[in-house]
Amino acid sequence: MSRMSSPSIGMDEDSGAGHALTDFLLQLENYSPSIPDSVVAYYLNMSGFESQDPRLIRLIALASQKFLSDIANDALQHCKMRTSSQINQSSKNQKGPKEKKYVMTMEDLVPALQEYGISAKKPHYFV
Amino acid sequence: MSENTEKVESSCDARRRILNIAVSTVLLETGFHATDKMSLETLTEIVQCFLTEVGNSAKGYCELSGRVEPVIGDVMMAIINMGINLQGIEQYAARPNRHVIQPPQQAPVPRTPAMLSAGSKAKPAPHIPFHLPPLPDPHAYIRTPTHKQPVTEYEAIREKAANQKRDIERALTKFLAKTSETHNLFNTDDNQVFPLIACKPTFPAYLPCLLPTDQVFDFDELEYHFQVANRTEDMPADKKDQSDNEGENGGDNENANNSQSENQDAPTSSSPERNKT
């Protein structure tokens, strides 16, 4: 705990970003991310990362959540592009309000992941 | 479809399901109303791999700088090394429509019921550490012999001895009647009903009386006591009165018997006189 407040040896170079993050870490105590702490701690422990500071766990959970939401936003853009093009094509229909229910499918997810460098190739059916 | 190929333990299943819920929450916040299973599983897998990779890298950076406990700098290095952009993380943390999942409650450990326990477990001795499991039931390692108290009453023992002797005699006579030669009690050919053990007289009958025998030291150990029933030379003094005096031996023995018996009678007759006076 004391290491968080006092600057350590490795953080002397990028003190700006480090201090900003330490400040943010202090704010993090009031906010809890969507993923519970115990689950994140379990997966971190499985790979050897053991931390007694819950704020560090929350930071990692928040980072993963933001990463996920970025991917989801990109997938939503893809989905909107697709449905808007479909609605433009079928504009003669009597649908008053625009279709607002978006369903995430692999068609939207794969190009969104492609921008992040993750290639997800799933088979459509089992052979 | 993907879960058929995966074989996860039940402990990972619960956490995986929570990750599923968290991913669904994030998707809901983004604006999606539904998703198909494959996308959800893909995103869950991505999150799990992300957490594992961050943990691995952060641990590596921490150990690289000679520390054991990871610091925030290690985590930042790990995240930046993976290419994840954390520019707007503060704004993301303070977004208005955030849902929070309740942390899972700890299920109570199912206590195995104490079945088939007989007796109370003994307290461990002081030399045994306390963190070891308790001792098993005492009947598992203590052996106490179980036997009935033997009957010591004189009457019961006499009765038991008498019964045993009678049973032995009966069994032996039956055995001899079945195996050796038998006489028939009735004047019929069939002698299965009341068989009698045949008495086999030796010929001539007076032979053992004429033949000299060895000195007898212990009358109790004799097998054929009737052969030397009238032999009194070796008997101790107090048993001569009880022996049979119908002697078939020579007259010398008889005279010796009479003389010795008379000598014995004289002191015994005098002793009561002495007692009286």
Side-chain angles (χ1 to χ4, degrees):
Chain A
M1 286 276 194
S2 61
R3 278 197 211 125
M4 295 300 163
S5 50
S6 64
S8 68
I9 301 171
M11 280 167 38
D12 274 340
E13 291 84 41
D14 51 343
S15 53
H19 278 191
L21 278 172
T22 46
D23 295 338
F24 173 65
L25 211 59
L26 294 173
Q27 296 173 12
L28 203 52
E29 289 178 5
N30 305 329
Y31 169 73
S32 54
S34 297
I35 313 179
D37 271 356
S38 54
V39 176
V40 178
Y42 171 75
Y43 282 113
L44 290 175
N45 285 352
M46 293 284 272
S47 56
F49 184 98
E50 168 82 30
S51 177
Q52 301 301 324
D53 193 5
R55 298 175 299 179
L56 210 55
I57 311 278
R58 291 212 185 106
L59 179 65
I60 297 175
L62 194 59
S64 67
Q65 198 175 334
K66 182 175 178 304
F67 175 63
L68 198 62
S69 76
D70 288 346
I71 296 176
N73 275 327
D74 289 350
L76 189 65
Q77 300 303 320
H78 280 275
C79 191
K80 277 183 181 167
M81 280 194 307
R82 197 161 322 183
T83 51
S84 67
S85 65
Q86 282 175 0
I87 285 172
N88 285 341
Q89 285 172 8
S90 63
S91 59
K92 296 287 168 68
N93 286 354
Q94 291 294 325
K95 290 184 190 169
K98 267 169 71 170
E99 186 69 38
K100 283 194 181 153
K101 291 197 182 282
Y102 300 110
V103 178
M104 168 182 275
T105 56
M106 287 301 286
E107 298 172 346
D108 305 324
L109 192 58
V110 168
L113 288 176
Q114 203 68 27
E115 296 172 10
Y116 281 88
I118 303 171
S119 64
K121 289 200 182 77
K122 295 262 173 135
H124 293 282
Y125 46 83
F126 279 115
V127 292
Chain B
M1 279 188 273
S2 55
E3 60 254 20
N4 286 344
T5 57
E6 289 174 5
K7 269 210 170 169
V8 290
E9 300 172 4
S10 62
S11 64
C12 299
D13 266 344
R15 295 175 174 97
R16 186 91 180 190
R17 273 186 257 126
I18 293 177
L19 276 185
N20 268 344
I21 297 172
V23 167
S24 311
T25 309
V26 169
L27 289 179
L28 271 178
E29 287 178 11
T30 310
F32 282 102
H33 285 268
T35 177
D36 63 344
K37 195 91 165 108
M38 194 186 279
S39 313
L40 189 64
E41 286 295 326
T42 308
L43 286 175
T44 310
E45 190 72 31
I46 288 174
V47 170
Q48 183 176 338
C49 291
F50 179 90
L51 292 176
T52 309
E53 185 63 31
V54 164
N56 229 351
S57 300
K59 182 77 177 172
Y61 275 112
C62 159
E63 286 173 353
L64 185 67
S65 50
R67 276 176 281 114
V68 179
E69 289 186 21
V71 191
I72 184 171
D74 302 324
V75 175
M76 293 315 298
M77 282 297 294
I79 293 179
I80 292 169
N81 201 27
M82 282 169 64
I84 311 293
N85 192 11
L86 289 184
Q87 284 286 338
I89 192 168
E90 295 177 14
Q91 291 87 5
Y92 180 77
R95 70 190 183 282
N97 60 338
R98 53 173 186 260
H99 306 281
V100 177
I101 301 179
Q102 294 296 329
Q105 289 148 354
Q106 193 169 16
V109 177
R111 244 189 95 250
T112 56
M115 297 187 302
L116 300 176
S117 72
S120 58
K121 297 184 172 36
K123 293 282 179 215
H127 66 275
I128 297 176
F130 59 90
H131 57 269
L132 292 179
L135 286 172
D137 289 339
H139 72 272
Y141 59 92
I142 297 176
R143 180 193 166 93
T144 48
T146 58
H147 49 260
K148 282 202 298 194
Q149 197 70 278
V151 181
T152 52
E153 282 184 9
Y154 178 74
E155 293 178 4
I157 292 176
R158 272 295 286 268
E159 198 174 328
K160 266 193 183 175
N163 283 338
Q164 212 172 16
K165 185 174 171 200
R166 181 193 62 198
D167 292 338
I168 289 174
E169 284 177 2
R170 193 187 298 173
L172 279 177
T173 51
K174 276 190 186 171
F175 176 67
L176 279 182
K178 290 242 166 51
T179 53
S180 64
E181 294 181 0
T182 57
H183 275 328
N184 196 8
L185 190 62
F186 304 108
N187 193 12
T188 56
D189 294 334
D190 171 34
N191 59 347
Q192 297 298 323
V193 186
F194 291 107
L196 298 175
I197 301 175
C199 178
K200 300 181 217 156
T202 58
F203 181 78
Y206 50 83
L207 198 59
C209 310
L210 293 181
L211 292 176
T213 57
D214 291 334
Q215 188 181 14
V216 178
F217 289 100
D218 191 357
F219 271 85
D220 295 331
E221 284 188 356
L222 283 178
E223 291 182 7
Y224 301 101
H225 196 259
F226 62 92
Q227 282 188 347
V228 292
N230 298 318
R231 183 187 171 96
T232 54
E233 294 91 3
D234 307 320
M235 279 174 101
D238 53 350
K239 283 192 181 171
K240 280 201 181 136
D241 298 332
Q242 302 161 10
S243 68
D244 210 355
N245 281 336
E246 294 178 358
E248 293 177 354
N249 296 337
D252 297 338
N253 284 343
E254 222 174 38
N255 294 336
N257 280 346
N258 292 338
S259 61
Q260 286 176 8
S261 60
E262 282 168 0
N263 290 337
Q264 214 178 24
D265 284 337
T268 51
S269 58
S270 61
S271 58
E273 289 173 359
R274 276 192 232 119
N275 288 338
K276 281 177 190 170
T277 55

